[in-house]
Amino acid sequence: MPCYWLYREIGEAYRGCVSPEPVYQDWLAIYQSAEYADGLKRQIDLLDRVAEQLPEAVLTEMRRDFLISSYAELAFWDMGLKRKNWNGSDKDGELATY
């Protein structure tokens, strides 16, 4: 869910911006679309309905997993920003930590 949700947030943050690269403009258009927003809302609503039926121990695991996934998304974007290698180190050999 964090990836799905984050892309919508990024799309909204860049609403009104135009990329000189058509592929990125197409990417923004997808995540800014009403259809994408509606799909995300349906997923969040579904997860909320399911969560209402679950015991606290399972909800605790779900929250932990959501946070882990969120950190993985952060690491993914940070890797591109800092031009990290797949092994997690940047050009100076510094490892990413979160």
Side-chain angles (χ1 to χ4, degrees):
M1 181 68 80
C3 177
Y4 197 45
W5 201 333
L6 175 64
Y7 279 33
R8 176 64 181 171
E9 294 290 325
I10 292 169
E12 283 301 302
Y14 285 93
R15 185 168 294 285
C17 295
V18 177
S19 174
E21 298 293 332
V23 68
Y24 295 120
Q25 191 60 46
D26 291 346
W27 184 90
L28 284 171
I30 290 168
Y31 298 114
Q32 293 170 346
S33 72
E35 294 83 7
Y36 190 85
D38 291 345
L40 175 60
K41 183 175 181 336
R42 283 193 308 273
Q43 292 300 315
I44 292 170
D45 290 347
L46 175 62
L47 184 58
D48 286 346
R49 283 195 310 275
V50 169
E52 289 172 358
Q53 312 292 322
L54 299 173
E56 189 58 37
V58 174
L59 294 174
T60 297
E61 289 180 34
M62 290 174 66
R63 289 182 194 105
R64 184 200 69 222
D65 292 345
F66 189 93
L67 285 174
I68 290 169
S69 296
S70 296
Y71 281 117
E73 284 298 317
L74 173 61
F76 170 76
W77 287 97
D78 190 61
M79 186 176 142
L81 178 65
K82 294 181 179 173
R83 299 176 192 254
K84 299 265 183 208
N85 296 321
W86 281 110
N87 68 2
S89 62
D90 64 16
K91 61 182 170 41
D92 298 321
E94 181 183 325
L95 290 177
T97 57
Y98 301 97

